[in-house]
C-alpha cells in the first residue's frame, strides 16, 4: 500500500513551472497553437521583477478553447465555477484546477482591452511570438512589445492599486530604454487596444502615426469604473434593457450556486450552509457600500 507520507507535494513555484510544461506538451499533442503570457514568462523576458506566480496563463484561439480544456479535464483538471452573468462580468478565460496541483491553469481566448475580434487578435498575437525554454520545454511566448501590451492592459484594469502603478512605471521605463513604443503602438492598433492602453502610451515618444484615438468600449469603461463586484452589478443593471432587468435583479439578490462556489469550491451547500453563504455575501456588500458609492459617482460623472 502506498504510504501517504511518501507522496511528494509540489510547491507553488514548482507547480507553475511544471504546469507550463504540461500545457505545452498537451497543446503540441493536439496540434493546437498556444502561447504563454504573464507569470514566469514575463520574468524570464525581463518584463517583471522576480516573483512567484500562482497560476499558468496560456492563450489559444477561440476555436481551440474547448479542445484544450477537454484534454486537460481528461488529465484530472476541472473547470472552476464562475458567475454565469456574462453581461455583468464578460468572460475572457476558463480557469482549471486540480486536486493534486498547487496552482491553477487560466486558458485565455480573448483579453480585456483588446477590442478587435478575438480570432483576429489571436492571429496578430501568434505572428508576434518567440520561443523560450522553461521547465525544460521550448514554449511559445509573446514578443517583448506584445508582452508589454498584455501586461500594461492587465495593470490598467486597476490603476489605483500600488502594485499596478509600480508595474506600469517599470514597463514605461523599459519601453523608453529599449525604444519599443512604436512597435507597441502598432500592435495596440492591430488588436484594437489603442483606447484602453492610451494612458500608458500617452507619455511615450513614438514614430507611429495615430491620427485619432478611438473611444473605449462600454465593457472597458465598466471595468475601470466598477472596482467592486457590487458596482459592476448595479452599472450593468442600469445599462440593461427593461426586459433584462428583472432576471438580472433576481440573480443579484438570489445568485445561483456557481456564484458562491466561485469563491470557495468547498463551500457548504446545505440549507444551513447556503444561508450562511448568503449572509456573508450581504455582509461583504454592506462593507463595500462606500467604495460602491465612489464607483457610481464616477459613473454618473
Amino acid at each position: 500500500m502506498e504510504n501517504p507520507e511518501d507522496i511528494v507535494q509540489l510547491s507553488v513555484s514548482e507547480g507553475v513551472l511544471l504546469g507550463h510544461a504540461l500545457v505545452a506538451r498537451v497543446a503540441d499533442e493536439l496540434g493546437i497553437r498556444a502561447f504563454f503570457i504573464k507569470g514566469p514568462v514575463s520574468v524570464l523576458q525581463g518584463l517583471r521583477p522576480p516573483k512567484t506566480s500562482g497560476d499558468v496563463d496560456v492563450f489559444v484561439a477561440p476555436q481551440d478553447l474547448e479542445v484544450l480544456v477537454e484534454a486537460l479535464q481528461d488529465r484530472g483538471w476541472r473547470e472552476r465555477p464562475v458567475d454565469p452573468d456574462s453581461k455583468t462580468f464578460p468572460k475572457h478565460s476558463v480557469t482549471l484546477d486540480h486536486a493534486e496541483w498547487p496552482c491553477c491553469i487560466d486558458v485565455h481566448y480573448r483579453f480585456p482591452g483588446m477590442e478587435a475580434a478575438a480570432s483576429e487578435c489571436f492571429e496578430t498575437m501568434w505572428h508576434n511570438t518567440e520561443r523560450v525554454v522553461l521547465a525544460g520545454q521550448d514554449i511559445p511566448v509573446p514578443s517583448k512589445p506584445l508582452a508589454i501590451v498584455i501586461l500594461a492592459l492587465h495593470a490598467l484594469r486597476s490603476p489605483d492599486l500600488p502594485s499596478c502603478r509600480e508595474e506600469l512605471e517599470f514597463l514605461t521605463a523599459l519601453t523608453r530604454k529599449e525604444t519599443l513604443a512604436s512597435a507597441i503602438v502598432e500592435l495596440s492598433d492591430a488588436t484594437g487596444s489603442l483606447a484602453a492602453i492610451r494612458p500608458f502610451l500617452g507619455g511615450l515618444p513614438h514614430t507611429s502615426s495615430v491620427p485619432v484615438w478611438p473611444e473605449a468600449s462600454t465593457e472597458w469603461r465598466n471595468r475601470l469604473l466598477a472596482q467592486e463586484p457590487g458596482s459592476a452589478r448595479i452599472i450593468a443593471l442600469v445599462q440593461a434593457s427593461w426586459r433584462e432587468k428583472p432576471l438580472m435583479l433576481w440573480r443579484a439578490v438570489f445568485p445561483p450556486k456557481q456564484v458562491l462556489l466561485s469563491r470557495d469550491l468547498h463551500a457548504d451547500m446545505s440549507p444551513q450552509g447556503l444561508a450562511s453563504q448568503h449572509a456573508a455575501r450581504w455582509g461583504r456588500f454592506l462593507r463595500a457600500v462606500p467604495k460602491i458609492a465612489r464607483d457610481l459617482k464616477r459613473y454618473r460623472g
Side-chain angles (χ1 to χ4, degrees):
M1 178 181 294
E2 187 179 67
N3 184 349
E5 294 181 359
D6 293 335
I7 298 176
V8 178
Q9 295 293 326
L10 294 172
S11 68
V12 174
S13 59
E14 291 170 338
V16 169
L17 290 176
L18 292 174
H20 279 74
L22 168 68
V23 177
R25 179 67 61 85
V26 171
D28 283 345
E29 291 175 354
L30 295 170
I32 288 176
R33 295 176 297 168
F35 63 94
F36 296 84
I37 63 174
K38 303 190 292 181
V41 166
S42 298
V43 175
L44 195 61
Q45 292 180 295
L47 302 176
R48 275 180 170 173
K51 66 176 182 179
T52 300
S53 300
D55 51 27
V56 177
D57 289 285
V58 62
F59 216 116
V60 298
Q63 64 269 24
D64 293 328
L65 172 69
E66 187 175 343
V67 176
L68 181 59
V69 168
E70 287 181 354
L72 291 170
Q73 288 175 327
D74 289 342
R75 289 162 172 79
W77 293 83
R78 58 184 178 179
E79 188 172 342
R80 290 183 65 93
V82 295
D83 192 321
D85 183 1
S86 59
K87 187 176 182 66
T88 302
F89 305 105
K91 306 299 183 291
H92 60 272
S93 65
V94 172
T95 299
L96 304 167
D97 67 11
H98 194 295
E100 298 175 4
W101 285 70
C103 61
C104 293
I105 298 173
D106 285 334
V107 186
H108 298 257
Y109 56 95
R110 57 184 291 264
F111 204 81
M114 293 185 176
E115 304 296 347
S119 57
E120 294 177 11
C121 277
F122 180 82
E123 294 300 329
T124 297
M125 290 189 285
W126 180 253
H127 287 99
N128 286 274
T129 57
E130 56 192 38
R131 301 187 79 88
V132 301
V133 176
L134 187 71
Q137 291 285 315
D138 185 34
I139 65 172
V141 301
S143 65
K144 267 195 175 183
L146 177 57
I148 291 174
V149 171
I150 292 170
L151 292 175
L153 288 174
H154 186 263
L156 285 168
R157 294 187 217 172
S158 305
D160 294 333
L161 292 180
S163 60
C164 291
R165 287 200 302 269
E166 291 172 7
E167 180 150 46
L168 289 169
E169 290 170 2
F170 184 89
L171 293 173
T172 297
L174 181 67
T175 300
R176 288 179 178 276
K177 179 182 177 181
E178 301 194 14
T179 60
L180 297 173
S182 293
I184 291 170
V185 170
E186 291 174 5
L187 282 169
S188 299
D189 190 17
T191 56
S193 308
L194 283 174
I197 206 172
R198 184 178 181 180
F200 173 72
L201 290 176
L204 291 172
H206 54 81
T207 57
S208 298
S209 175
V210 183
V212 179
W213 290 97
E215 290 292 326
S217 67
T218 298
E219 177 186 332
W220 182 254
R221 292 198 302 270
N222 287 353
R223 279 186 183 274
L224 297 188
L225 287 168
Q227 296 297 307
E228 289 288 330
S231 307
R233 292 190 186 281
I234 293 173
I235 290 173
L237 188 62
V238 170
Q239 294 174 344
S241 67
W242 284 104
R243 186 170 58 181
E244 296 172 310
K245 290 181 191 294
L247 180 58
M248 291 178 65
L249 184 59
W250 176 266
R251 286 178 173 173
V253 177
F254 303 104
K257 291 182 179 180
Q258 299 100 299
V259 176
L260 304 177
L261 290 170
S262 67
R263 290 186 59 87
D264 180 6
L265 279 174
H266 307 291
D268 182 1
M269 292 291 107
S270 68
Q272 296 84 355
L274 285 173
S276 177
Q277 297 288 332
H278 284 291
R281 188 168 180 270
W282 278 103
R284 290 192 297 272
F285 175 81
L286 292 174
R287 289 191 296 273
V289 163
K291 293 181 179 179
I292 292 173
R294 178 203 62 195
D295 290 348
L296 296 180
K297 182 178 180 181
R298 291 165 56 198
Y299 174 68
R300 289 196 300 270

